[in-house]
Amino acid sequence: MRVAIVHEWLETYAGSERVLEQLLDIWPEADLFVVCDFLADKDRHFLRGKVPTTSFIQRLPRARQWFRYYLGLMPIAVEQFDLSAYDLVLSSSHAVAKGVLTGPATLHVSYVHSPMRYAWDLQHQYLRQARMETGLKGLLTRRLLHGMRAWDHASAARPDLIAANSAWIAERIRKTWRRESTVIHPPVDIEGFPFVATKDDYYFVASRMVPYKRIDLVAEAFRQMPDKRLVIAGDGPEMPRVREAAGDAKNIEILGRVPQPDLVRLLQSARAFVFAAEEDFGIAMVEAQACGTPLIVYGRGGASDIVVPDSTGVLFPEQSAAGIRDAVARFESLSIAPEACRANAERFSHAVFRDRLTALVHQGLAAR
């Protein structure tokens, strides 16, 4: 059986690349196709020496710096990949990869991280954050996204089977594409986050400091709870806002970016991991659970797939400092076993991901 794997683009080793890594482990003989490849040499280990086939966008002017500005050309780019010789095509898609063209003899299974968020329900938020709500640039961007929505919806009919990375994304797929999907949670390296049963008396949050993560709300909530210690790790453009929210509170420690071994140690020893973002899934939450650390997290998005309420953590219903304070009080009234948290994390291991995805592929092949 000839297998092709289609991935959006290679720039960093992040969440979608972890899925790609598992696809290459399951189907090591597969050929790899990407819109463009600008991955640094130090991050290429997971490709197992495989050299991807790239699209014409790879060769456009200043593509390394500007490839995202070529978004409007990406539908054309993925449609130029000749996949006619393959029996199985697997696409890892958060933008255009699921739009590749395949023939009736080919099974196409698409693992969808999300429909194109900035073209659908998050368009207004994207334009606001990019300061393009008005003016000529804003008008042109709206026109581009209008066209991308039409193509995205039409191309959603092309995969034979769709896997969604959470129930939240499955609902987004149903809403935007009117397609059904199978929920297969993304693979998490739980072995890289060893279990520790003994906890210290501090709460912990780690994240990139970007607006939607709402670390400022966590800092504000703990500033209003001076008897509870909070440790914050991470860096990014929202750091000044986070520092402002923390004020001069003596119970809040802001570390900035920390090395991976220190991050693991902080996760292992925390009384609970606090998270206020709405995530498509939320790998960091599973990593905390793998360490045996309970969760106090916003209840929308992928968090509801991860947390077992009152058994491995607490969900709060609104993104507000008051909601976080109430959730902390609720958490402190419970007795959550670290062992239960670790057992919960096992549901999201590499092995479980591989088993569920291969079962979906075999189901599709058997139905042909």
Side-chain angles (χ1 to χ4, degrees):
M1 186 170 67
R2 292 202 62 190
V3 181
I5 297 173
V6 184
H7 187 68
E8 240 94 45
W9 52 73
L10 291 170
E11 183 190 25
T12 60
Y13 178 70
S16 63
E17 285 70 36
R18 298 182 190 193
V19 169
L20 175 58
E21 181 176 22
Q22 294 302 309
L23 297 183
L24 292 171
D25 278 351
I26 301 169
W27 292 281
E29 76 287 358
D31 294 326
L32 178 60
F33 295 81
V34 299
V35 170
C36 51
D37 176 11
F38 300 116
L39 196 64
D41 289 342
K42 66 179 179 63
D43 294 328
R44 304 190 73 84
H45 57 90
F46 75 97
L47 296 179
R48 310 289 193 267
K50 203 172 290 293
V51 178
T53 298
T54 57
S55 75
F56 66 82
I57 289 178
Q58 181 84 17
R59 300 177 293 280
L60 292 179
R62 302 192 68 177
R64 180 179 292 273
Q65 295 82 21
W66 290 354
F67 72 88
R68 286 182 176 83
Y69 290 99
Y70 293 128
L71 176 66
L73 295 175
M74 289 184 185
I76 301 172
V78 298
E79 290 175 348
Q80 302 316 303
F81 291 139
D82 182 2
L83 304 176
S84 58
Y86 295 94
D87 306 295
L88 172 64
V89 170
L90 300 128
S91 57
S92 168
S93 185
H94 58 76
V96 298
K98 59 97 174 63
V100 292
L101 303 178
T102 59
T106 303
L107 176 68
H108 178 190
V109 179
S110 186
Y111 187 87
V112 175
H113 306 276
S114 176
M116 212 178 301
R117 292 179 292 257
Y118 39 84
W120 291 97
D121 53 312
L122 298 185
Q123 173 189 281
H124 303 292
Q125 178 182 324
Y126 166 78
L127 292 171
R128 185 165 53 250
Q129 291 175 355
R131 298 182 180 178
M132 292 191 296
E133 292 178 282
T134 60
L136 180 60
K137 184 182 285 189
L139 178 63
L140 293 174
T141 303
R142 289 174 193 274
R143 179 68 186 88
L144 168 66
L145 295 178
H146 174 77
M148 292 300 294
R149 271 193 298 278
W151 180 87
D152 191 53
H153 186 273
S155 63
R158 295 176 186 173
D160 298 291
L161 295 170
I162 296 177
N165 79 348
S166 69
W168 180 254
I169 294 305
E171 182 56 36
R172 183 174 276 159
I173 288 170
R174 190 177 298 113
K175 178 76 172 181
T176 57
W177 297 343
R178 304 302 175 183
R179 290 287 309 267
E180 295 300 316
S181 58
T182 300
V183 174
I184 300 178
H185 298 117
V188 182
D189 179 22
I190 60 174
E191 299 309 317
F193 293 82
F195 172 75
V196 172
T198 305
K199 305 299 177 183
D200 292 335
D201 192 21
Y202 67 88
Y203 294 87
F204 183 55
V205 57
S207 173
R208 291 179 294 116
M209 302 289 185
V210 292
Y212 87 94
K213 296 289 189 178
R214 300 315 311 266
I215 309 300
D216 58 314
L217 286 182
V218 181
E220 180 185 346
F222 277 83
R223 180 170 53 82
Q224 297 166 3
M225 298 184 290
D227 58 322
K228 305 185 194 312
R229 184 182 169 210
L230 174 68
V231 177
I232 300 174
D235 202 357
E238 286 288 287
M239 179 62 87
R241 187 171 180 177
V242 172
R243 291 190 182 280
E244 181 182 357
D248 57 359
K250 300 295 189 293
N251 62 315
I252 300 176
E253 182 180 3
I254 301 176
L255 301 177
R257 185 175 298 161
V258 298
Q260 183 69 10
D262 292 345
L263 173 63
V264 173
R265 178 181 55 79
L266 288 163
L267 276 173
Q268 289 172 324
S269 301
R271 185 174 182 182
F273 182 71
V274 187
F275 204 67
E278 178 187 307
E279 293 280 15
D280 295 337
F281 177 64
I283 286 175
M285 290 182 267
V286 178
E287 292 170 343
Q289 294 270 272
C291 293
T293 300
L295 299 172
I296 301 173
V297 296
Y298 180 45
R300 290 189 67 186
S304 58
D305 283 23
I306 297 168
V307 176
V308 181
D310 297 350
S311 177
T312 72
V314 173
L315 299 169
F316 52 90
E318 63 177 30
Q319 286 178 306
S320 68
I324 295 170
R325 293 199 313 271
D326 291 345
V328 171
R330 169 69 180 162
F331 168 75
E332 293 189 345
S333 72
L334 302 170
S335 180
I336 294 178
E339 292 79 5
C341 298
R342 176 67 188 197
N344 184 44
E346 299 283 351
R347 297 189 291 130
F348 308 102
S349 69
H350 289 172
V352 170
F353 172 83
R354 290 195 294 264
D355 287 348
R356 296 203 63 204
L357 185 62
T358 53
L360 181 65
V361 169
H362 291 155
Q363 171 191 326
L365 291 171
R368 300 188 74 76

